[in-house]
Structures are given as structure tokens and as C-alpha cells.
Amino acid sequence: MNTLFLANANNGMSSMWTIVIFIVLIALMYFTMIKPQKKQQQKKMEMMNELKKGDNVIMIDGLHGRVDSVDTKDKTVVIDADGIYLTFSRMAVQQILPDKTATAEAPATEEKAEKPDSEKQVEEPAAKPEEDKPSKSSKESSPKE
């Protein structure tokens, strides 16, 4: 009778470990697969809500174009691809590209700021050889003595 009781107690402990391992596997699957996918989907929905006329976009099939109009009722977007107007679902937009005008202005201001620094760099190397000349003459004078 005692052996039967011990056998049941040991079996109950192994089933408890099985349940714990099962719960750990479910939690691991949630944090590695489901949660990142939900974040990515939420980010895409935010991008779709920010879509407006004049944005440069890339569609899922690789088509590049400019948004001509956005219809929130039908959840569609009209794309102008070099004079050809195509209607797509809003979910077909893969990426919104940054404006070229905003990126073109930023490097122009950086170049203006860097120009005085480049002039200083040109003047500094000219000063270094003059400093080296006296040190060479002092080296030359010591071997002569």
C-alpha cells in the first residue's frame, strides 16, 4: 500500500514539471513571436494613418510613386507614378520615403558650417613645417660640435 502511495506522489511531481515547462514554452513563444509582430503591425497602422497627399511612397510590389489622394472611407490611395494614376489599398504601401527637399536643405547648411573649419585646416599644416625647421637645425648643430 505504501509503495502505491509513493508511486502516485512521484507521478504527480513529474506532471507538475510538465505543466511548468509547457507554461514557460508558451511565454517564450509569446515574447519571441507574437509581441514583436503586434508591434510591427501597430507601427504600420500608424504609418498608414499619417499618409497624406504629396508623400513619396514605395508599394509592396516595388512601385515608386507620389500619393495623389487618400480615401479614408474606402481605405484606398491613388498613386501618381510618372503621370499614371493607380488606385491601391492603403495596406499596399510598404514605406513612406522622406522628402527630398528637406534632405537637400540639410546638407547645404552643413557645408556652410564646415567651410570655415576647412580653411583653418589649410592654414595649420603650413605652420607645422616652420616649427619643425628650428628643431632640425638644433639637431644639426649638436652633431657639429
Side-chain angles (χ1 to χ4, degrees), residues 27-44:
L28 184 68
M29 187 173 68
Y30 174 77
F31 285 110
T32 59
M33 295 174 66
I34 298 170
K35 191 172 181 178
Q37 187 177 8
K38 282 185 178 182
K39 275 187 174 181
Q40 186 179 21
Q41 187 177 14
Q42 188 177 34
K43 187 177 178 182
K44 183 164 179 140

Side-chain angles (χ1 to χ4, degrees), residues 6-19:
L6 291 174
N8 285 337
N10 190 19
N11 189 19
M13 195 63 154
S14 69
S15 66
M16 188 67 135
W17 278 109
T18 305
I19 292 171

Side-chain angles (χ1 to χ4, degrees), residues 31-84:
F31 285 110
T32 59
M33 295 174 66
I34 298 170
K35 191 172 181 178
Q37 187 177 8
K38 282 185 178 182
K39 275 187 174 181
Q40 186 179 21
Q41 187 177 14
Q42 188 177 34
K43 187 177 178 182
K44 183 164 179 140
M45 290 304 294
E46 288 175 8
M47 182 182 73
M48 291 300 124
N49 292 335
E50 293 175 359
L51 195 62
K52 62 187 178 298
K53 182 178 179 174
D55 285 341
N56 290 325
V57 295
I58 299 177
M59 306 306 285
I60 289 176
D61 60 354
L63 178 74
H64 291 245
R66 183 178 295 267
V67 176
D68 187 58
S69 65
V70 178
D71 187 4
T72 55
K73 180 182 171 190
D74 295 333
K75 296 183 180 178
T76 59
V77 61
V78 177
I79 303 296
D80 176 12
D82 293 331
I84 301 170

